Amino acid sequence: MQQPHSRKAPKAQAAAPTQTQAPLVRPRSKQAQRTQMMKSMCANIICVMIGSCMVLIVQAMTGKFNTGDPAARGWNTRNITLTYFDARGSAEPIRLLLEEAEVSYTDRRLTEEEWEEQRKDRLKYPFNKLPHLQEGNNNVNQPMAIIKYLAKATQHGGWDTTSDIQAELIAQGVQDWRTNYEKMVFDKDFTEEKQATYLNTTAVKHLNQFENLLHDKSVKRHFDFFLYVFTYVDLMVWEMLDIHVGMNNETLTGFPALKKLYTNVGKRDGIKKYLNSGRRSPNANAPRSAYGQ
């Protein structure tokens, strides 16, 4: 019996190779996104801080770190009047600060007769003393109050509580020195012998104090300034040094740090311009002093 013809089953075609699919990228978790955002912010902040530090370093090296911008606040256009006698006296550090900050002002100089009339105004002169500063409607009396008011307005004071205290300490030291100096120059029995004694004793004591301050490593300061940057106290000390150099040009011999400060402050643009302007009074002291008129 003839067997039925068997058909071979067709070979199954090889399946086409499947393409490997890339794994799906899982979205970052919210925590990962926040972490990446924080990293980016930190990087930007660091870049800004580095740039700011570089600017501050350059400004400090040029002595222009703490000059402020009085023009931006209208200080060079305000009606500012400083009233004193035709003398440097206790008003001179104030003038130096105004000149350093490039603030326009009226330098009003009274005669003794004019002052006798002016001093009757007890509201304007509550302590019956000069100098006096009028800035707009503000009346400011007493030399320390005036210079600290201007230092804050022109950014020539301290930059935090510690530096404010350090500046105050130095300023009070200058006032102590000036008090002793004025005892000598306003002495009715003033003699050249008394002046020589003062220069060799009292003045040397104060010079040593300020020389030591400039060598004190515990105080943050920069270059040749008493604090980290140039402040009003550098001008106060400079004026006292200038007075004493005027009495004896060898005063700063043996005080190298003070001598350097004296030289460098005198070279600053605003101070140098003022010293060469012819506007500075030749009189070191107020009327009735036995010396410096």
Side-chain angles (χ1 to χ4, degrees):
M1 185 172 174
Q2 187 180 7
Q3 296 291 330
H5 180 72
S6 61
R7 294 183 180 179
K8 294 182 178 179
K11 295 181 178 179
Q13 294 181 353
T18 58
Q19 295 180 350
T20 303
Q21 295 182 351
L24 294 175
V25 179
R26 294 181 179 180
R28 292 179 177 176
S29 66
K30 291 184 178 180
Q31 179 62 35
Q33 291 177 354
R34 285 196 293 267
T35 301
Q36 184 60 35
M37 185 180 298
M38 289 299 297
K39 288 181 178 179
S40 299
M41 290 176 62
C42 289
N44 291 334
I45 291 172
I46 290 172
C47 289
V48 172
M49 290 177 65
I50 291 174
S52 299
C53 288
M54 292 301 295
V55 171
L56 295 178
I57 290 171
V58 171
Q59 290 178 333
M61 292 179 67
T62 58
K64 297 181 179 179
F65 175 83
N66 205 26
T67 58
D69 186 10
R73 294 183 293 277
W75 268 83
N76 62 343
T77 58
R78 294 186 183 187
N79 184 19
I80 299 175
T81 300
L82 176 65
T83 302
Y84 194 63
F85 303 106
D86 183 15
R88 301 196 296 274
S90 57
E92 194 64 6
I94 300 167
R95 293 189 186 106
L96 291 170
L97 179 54
L98 290 167
E99 298 289 341
E100 166 69 19
E102 298 181 346
V103 174
S104 299
Y105 67 102
T106 299
D107 191 2
R108 186 181 178 214
R109 303 181 182 185
L110 303 179
T111 63
E112 288 190 79
E113 292 75 19
E114 290 171 330
W115 169 235
E116 288 300 322
E117 184 63 29
Q118 292 284 326
R119 69 194 308 169
K120 296 176 183 178
D121 187 344
R122 297 303 184 187
L123 292 177
K124 192 171 184 178
Y125 307 104
F127 296 101
N128 201 25
K129 292 181 67 177
L130 292 175
H132 170 269
L133 182 86
Q134 178 141 12
E135 185 268 311
N137 294 325
N138 297 321
N139 284 291
V140 190
N141 293 274
Q142 302 287 36
M144 281 304 302
I146 295 172
I147 199 166
K148 289 171 68 176
Y149 171 72
L150 291 174
K152 183 176 182 180
T154 61
Q155 296 183 11
H156 281 80
W159 54 94
D160 58 17
T161 302
T162 300
S163 58
D164 279 337
I165 293 172
Q166 291 170 344
E168 182 71 22
L169 179 150
I170 296 168
Q172 290 298 330
V174 176
Q175 288 300 95
D176 291 343
W177 187 2
R178 178 173 284 278
T179 297
N180 288 330
Y181 164 75
E182 289 181 346
K183 286 179 182 178
M184 184 266 297
V185 298
F186 286 96
D187 185 350
K188 294 180 180 179
D189 299 320
F190 171 84
T191 62
E192 291 185 359
E193 289 75 13
K194 287 185 177 181
Q195 176 180 315
T197 300
Y198 163 83
L199 288 173
N200 292 326
T201 56
T202 305
V204 170
K205 178 191 74 173
H206 290 293
L207 288 165
N208 274 312
Q209 289 172 344
F210 288 103
E211 180 78 9
N212 291 336
L213 275 175
L214 286 173
H215 289 290
D216 184 359
K217 302 301 182 183
S218 67
V219 178
K220 289 184 177 180
R221 61 170 54 87
H222 192 65
F223 294 97
D224 306 310
F225 306 136
F226 275 97
L227 302 183
Y228 189 74
V229 294
F230 186 84
T231 63
Y232 71 98
V233 297
D234 296 296
L235 293 170
M236 291 182 67
V237 174
W238 184 91
E239 171 60 14
M240 290 304 295
L241 296 178
D242 191 58
I243 289 171
H244 287 70
V245 169
M247 289 191 287
N248 182 354
N249 58 14
E250 298 296 325
T251 293
L252 298 181
T253 300
F255 301 98
L258 287 174
K259 187 173 183 179
K260 193 172 185 180
L261 174 82
Y262 179 69
T263 300
N264 289 341
V265 172
K267 289 180 179 179
R268 293 179 70 84
D269 291 343
I271 304 304
K272 185 177 180 179
K273 183 179 178 181
Y274 173 59
L275 297 178
N276 295 330
S277 67
R279 293 184 287 111
R280 194 180 192 215
S281 175
N283 304 316
N285 305 302
R288 301 184 184 181
S289 67
Y291 170 84
Q293 283 291 306

